[in-house]
Amino acid sequence: ERPYANAATGKNGKAKSKYLELEEALLGLGVPQEDVTPVISATVAWRVTEGGLVLVDRRRRAKALRRVKALVPYVVEHCEVERERVGTLVAKVPLLILCDVEDQWDRRAVQLATRWFLEKGGEEVPSELKRWTQTLRRHKALGKLSTDQVNLLTSIGFDFGLGITGEWETMFDKLLDFILEYGHSQVMPVNVYKRKLSLHEWTELQRIAYAAGRLAPDHVERLESINFDWKARYISRWLRFYQDYRSSRSQSGTVKLPMEPMPGRKFWRQKQQVLWYNNDILPERQTMLRETSFGFNPYQGKFREVTGVIAALQGHYKADTMLGLLVRLYDDLMVPEDGRAGKVELYQARQLARWMKIHLALGEAGMLTPAERQQLEKLGVQWEGLEWQMNFEALLKFRAIHGHCDVEKEHRLNPWVVNMRQNRHDLPFEYKALLDMVGFTWEKRGAWSRMFAQLTAYREENGHVHIPRQGTNYLHNHLAAWLTNQRALWRMGKLTGQQISRLEAIGVVK
C-alpha cells in the first residue's frame, strides 16, 4: 500500500489515482523505488502524519506533474545530463521537479544544480550564470527568495556567503569615502546602539567572512582594489563575545570542556536569544551565530515537560488554543487572591508566553522537528500571523497591569490597537474572538455606557452577573472580559464614583 493521501478529496478512488501518477512519473524517470516517497514528501507534501502517511498538496502535485515532463528533455539537451542519470539527479535534488524551465530563474537554478550534480565546480562558470549567483546572494540578504528557492539552492550546497548584506554597495561606498578621508580602512567601533549596521560592524563582517572563506570572490576583488586591510585593529565588544563563544565550541557545535568563560558570556548569550525571538537582532549577526550552532532556544531539552504542563492547563481551563489559555491565565491574575490551590503566578504566565513566542519564531525559521510542530499544533499553536500574536500577547500583559486595553498614544502598541479598531470588519474571526475575550474596546466613544447597558440586560435576563467565560457565546465572552476589567480598575481606584454606584446597583462587587 502506498503511503499517500489526497489532501483535498479524501478517499475518492478516482481522485486518488491522480496522485499515483506522480509516483509513476518518477519511476519512469529512473528514480529508485526507495527514493520515490522521500522525493514526494520533499516536494508536494504539506504534512506527514505520525504513521508516515504523506498528505499531498493537490496544486503542488499538479505543478510537479506538468513541469517534470519538460524538465527531462531540458537537462538532457542543454545541461549534458545522460538520460539514465536523470532519476539519480531528481533523487538528490527533489525540488527540481517543481522548476519551470520556461521561467528564467528556474532555468538557471536547473543549470546550477546540474553543474553541481556533474561535479563541474572546478570549471569556469559561464559569465551569465556567475552574475546570477551574485544576484542570489543579494536577494537572499534582502529576503527576496522564496522558501522553496532557498531550499533548492541549499540542497546543492550553494554558498550564500557569510557577512553579505543587502546594502553591500551602499556600505562599500561609505568605506571608500572613509578611506579617501582618513587614508586607512580601520574603522573605529561606535558604542551607541543602532538597529542599522554601522560601518565598523560591516567591515568586521567582511573580515570574518573572508577568514572563513565565505566572502564572495567579486567582493574580495573589489575590497582589495581599494587596499582594504584584512587584519582588524579594533574589535567591537560584541565580536569579542562572539569569538569567545565560538572558541568554546567544536566543529560539530558541541561545547568544549574545560573552558574558562569570558566574564559576561552567559548574559551576552541570553541577550542574543531575546533579541532573536523579538526579531531585533541584526540579520548578519544571526547568520554568524547560526554558523556556530548557537542555541537560540533557552528551553532546549524541556519541550516534553513544558508541553505536558500546557496540555494539563488547557484541560483545566477548557482552552483549545495556546492564546486562549494565555487569556485565561492573565484573567486569573486580575482576580484577587481567593485561596485557590495551583493558581499560576505572574512570572509563570510570562514564562509560558515567552515559551510560545520562542517556538513560534523557531517554527518560522524552520528550526523545529516535524514531531515538535505536530505536538504544538495539537496544543492549538497557530503558525500564521506571528506579528499579530506577538502584539496580542503584549496586550495581555498591558491589560493585566492596567485593567483595560486602551493603550495610550505614547505606548508602542497604540498603532496596532488603532489598526485593530479601523480594520475590525476585515479581521479574521479567530482574531476578533480573542480580542473580545479580553474586553477589547472597538469604539471608544460611549463604550462604557454601552457595555453597562449590556450587563444590565444580562442581569435582568439571568438574575445575576456571574458570566461564564468558557462558553461559545462570544458576546458573553466579551461582556465577561469587560466586567473583569472593571473590577480590576475598581480595585486600582480608577473608576469614577458614578461608575462604581451604577455597578453596585446591579450587584457587582470588587
Side-chain angles (χ1 to χ4, degrees):
E1 185 178 351
R2 296 172 173 86
Y4 315 124
N6 184 339
T9 56
K11 299 182 179 179
N12 185 296
K14 184 176 180 181
K16 187 175 181 180
S17 66
K18 294 182 179 180
Y19 287 80
L20 301 181
E21 291 179 23
L22 182 57
E23 178 186 350
E24 294 167 359
L26 292 173
L27 291 171
L29 292 181
V31 176
Q33 178 71 54
E34 65 272 14
D35 291 328
V36 170
T37 299
V39 169
I40 293 177
S41 300
T43 53
V44 300
W46 65 275
R47 189 163 74 86
V48 179
T49 67
E50 287 183 348
L53 186 68
V54 180
L55 303 182
V56 178
D57 185 297
R58 181 175 59 185
R59 286 172 292 184
R60 287 173 71 90
R61 187 272 313 167
K63 184 194 296 185
L65 271 176
R66 286 195 311 270
R67 294 180 177 178
V68 75
K69 295 174 183 177
L71 176 68
V72 177
Y74 181 80
V75 297
V76 171
E77 296 172 16
H78 299 279
C79 302
E80 304 176 3
V81 177
E82 296 88 346
R83 176 63 180 80
E84 56 271 18
R85 298 188 67 190
V86 173
T88 308
L89 169 64
V90 170
K92 287 190 173 182
V93 194
L95 289 171
L96 282 181
I97 67 174
L98 295 175
C99 288
D100 180 5
V101 293
E102 299 297 323
D103 176 80
Q104 187 181 57
W105 196 99
D106 286 5
R107 188 165 60 250
R108 287 175 176 169
V110 171
Q111 293 169 10
L112 196 64
T114 52
R115 284 183 63 83
W116 167 80
F117 176 70
L118 297 173
E119 299 180 349
K120 289 186 176 183
E123 297 183 14
E124 183 66 23
V125 179
S127 57
E128 182 182 348
L129 195 59
K130 184 177 180 180
R131 288 194 299 271
W132 182 71
T133 57
Q134 294 167 4
T135 303
L136 285 178
R137 293 186 175 96
R138 290 196 298 273
H139 285 183
K140 171 64 164 57
L142 291 168
K144 291 184 177 180
L145 298 182
S146 69
T147 303
D148 277 348
Q149 289 173 334
V150 173
N151 289 342
L152 170 58
L153 294 167
T154 303
S155 68
I156 63 172
F158 182 78
D159 189 355
F160 287 105
L162 176 63
I164 306 303
T165 73
E167 299 177 345
W168 202 92
E169 296 295 337
T170 303
M171 300 304 287
F172 180 81
D173 289 341
K174 287 182 178 180
L175 176 62
L176 183 57
D177 290 340
F178 181 91
I179 292 174
L180 291 173
E181 183 175 354
Y182 297 100
H184 63 83
S185 58
Q186 297 290 346
V187 185
M188 288 283 289
V190 179
N191 292 325
V192 179
Y193 172 77
K194 294 181 179 179
R195 182 64 183 88
K196 290 186 178 180
L197 200 67
S198 71
L199 183 59
H200 169 74
E201 291 168 330
W202 182 82
T203 56
E204 276 191 340
L205 288 170
Q206 309 314 304
R207 290 185 175 104
I208 294 168
Y210 178 76
R214 300 290 305 282
L215 192 59
D218 57 315
H219 288 170
V220 174
E221 185 179 333
R222 293 185 64 189
L223 287 168
E224 289 183 339
S225 72
I226 59 173
N227 296 321
F228 182 72
D229 189 350
W230 295 108
K231 294 182 179 179
R233 187 179 304 168
Y234 307 108
I235 301 178
S236 68
R237 187 169 181 270
W238 189 92
L239 185 58
R240 290 183 191 277
F241 277 110
Y242 172 76
Q243 290 175 330
D244 172 67
Y245 179 79
R246 184 165 188 157
S247 68
S248 70
R249 307 190 73 80
S250 68
Q251 293 298 319
S252 62
T254 56
V255 177
K256 291 180 183 177
L257 293 173
M259 185 71 191
E260 187 65 31
M262 180 176 171
R265 183 202 287 175
K266 183 178 180 181
F267 175 76
W268 176 84
R269 182 182 177 184
Q270 291 172 342
K271 184 177 180 181
Q272 307 317 303
Q273 291 171 336
V274 172
L275 289 172
W276 175 76
Y277 76 72
N278 283 326
N279 200 28
D280 284 333
I281 194 169
L282 291 167
E284 296 79 16
R285 288 183 175 177
Q286 180 178 332
T287 301
M288 292 169 66
L289 290 169
R290 293 186 77 164
E291 289 279 322
T292 64
S293 301
F294 182 83
F296 288 104
N297 183 7
Y299 296 100
Q300 192 74 34
K302 297 183 179 180
F303 185 84
R304 292 183 64 183
E305 177 186 346
V306 178
T307 52
V309 170
I310 292 172
L313 287 171
Q314 285 183 331
H316 174 71
Y317 285 100
K318 297 182 174 59
D320 55 1
T321 67
M322 188 65 195
L323 285 176
L325 173 63
L326 290 177
V327 170
R328 300 303 307 281
L329 292 177
Y330 277 106
D331 265 0
D332 266 8
L333 295 171
M334 297 174 67
V335 177
E337 293 295 336
D338 52 8
R340 281 182 296 166
K343 183 176 177 179
V344 174
E345 300 294 335
L346 177 60
Y347 78 93
Q348 294 172 321
R350 288 185 171 178
Q351 280 188 340
L352 286 177
R354 181 172 180 243
W355 184 89
M356 181 197 74
K357 291 195 294 184
I358 288 171
H359 283 80
L360 284 172
L362 289 169
E364 188 175 54
M367 296 166 67
L368 293 174
T369 66
E372 288 173 336
R373 287 185 69 93
Q374 189 171 19
Q375 181 62 34
L376 290 170
E377 286 166 4
K378 286 181 180 179
L379 296 175
V381 172
Q382 301 294 321
W383 303 112
E384 298 296 326
L386 174 61
E387 184 179 357
W388 193 94
Q389 294 185 67
M390 296 288 195
N391 285 325
F392 181 74
E393 192 274 331
L395 183 66
L396 289 179
K397 290 181 183 176
F398 180 91
R399 174 178 176 251
I401 295 170
H402 300 280
H404 60 83
C405 301
D406 298 324
V407 299
E408 55 272 15
K409 288 185 178 180
E410 297 76 18
H411 197 281
R412 68 174 185 84
L413 273 177
N414 181 262
W416 180 77
V417 169
V418 171
N419 185 42
M420 293 300 101
R421 290 190 178 115
Q422 291 175 344
N423 298 285
R424 59 185 179 276
H425 300 300
D426 299 322
L427 286 177
F429 174 77
E430 294 81 4
Y431 290 179
K432 291 185 72 174
L434 284 167
L435 288 168
D436 281 341
M437 286 179 70
V438 297
F440 189 79
T441 307
W442 296 102
E443 292 183 16
K444 292 188 68 175
R445 183 175 296 178
W448 200 94
S449 296
R450 282 196 303 273
M451 296 304 296
F452 180 78
Q454 291 182 28
L455 182 62
T456 302
Y458 180 90
R459 181 181 181 278
E460 290 176 354
E461 181 179 348
N462 298 277
H464 60 82
V465 289
H466 305 297
I467 310 172
R469 291 297 307 275
Q470 67 269 24
T472 56
N473 189 320
Y474 296 102
L475 290 176
H476 285 179
N477 283 341
H478 189 202
L479 185 58
W482 178 84
L483 184 56
T484 299
N485 294 351
Q486 301 313 301
R487 286 182 169 129
L489 291 170
W490 190 350
R491 289 190 294 273
M492 295 177 190
K494 294 183 178 180
L495 290 184
T496 66
Q498 183 183 17
Q499 289 171 335
I500 293 172
S501 299
R502 294 177 72 182
L503 290 170
E504 288 179 331
I506 60 172
V508 177
V509 295
K510 282 188 186 181

